[in-house]
Amino acid sequence: MCSCVLRTDDGSTSISIAQPGVGAATPGATSVLLGSLVRTAHRVRDLEGNLISVFVFEDVSVRERGRFTLEFRLDEA
C-alpha cells in the first residue's frame, strides 16, 4: 500500500492541520490534506505490455493555498 503526506515546500516538515497562526491545534482546526490518503496497488500493463503496480490518488486535494510537497510512502501490507 501507499500513503500520501503533505509537507512544507522544502520537504522538511509534515503539515496535518489548517489553523490561523502558529502553534498547537486549536478547536475548529481542520485537516489540510483531503481525500483518500492510503491506497492499494492496481496491477496493470504499461504501453510495452509489462505488468506494473500503480497507485491512484484520484481525490486528494489541499485545503490551503501555498507551495507544498507531497510525500508518498510505500509500505508492505
Side-chain angles (χ1 to χ4, degrees):
M1 54 188 218
C2 186
S3 60
C4 181
V5 176
L6 187 69
R7 299 186 77 76
T8 55
D9 186 30
D10 64 0
S12 63
T13 307
S14 67
I15 303 169
S16 59
I17 57 170
Q19 62 186 33
V22 178
T26 58
T30 57
S31 176
V32 177
L33 195 58
L34 305 171
S36 301
L37 304 179
V38 177
R39 297 309 235 176
T40 57
H42 294 277
R43 299 287 287 170
V44 297
R45 295 203 179 271
D46 66 10
L47 296 175
E48 287 80 36
N50 301 314
L51 196 58
I52 61 172
S53 295
V54 177
F55 298 91
V56 180
F57 290 84
E58 72 274 355
D59 64 345
V60 171
S61 60
V62 179
R63 187 183 295 256
E64 290 187 358
R65 287 183 152 201
R67 293 181 58 105
F68 304 98
T69 299
L70 287 175
E71 176 182 358
F72 294 95
R73 298 177 181 172
L74 188 59
D75 299 307
E76 289 188 44

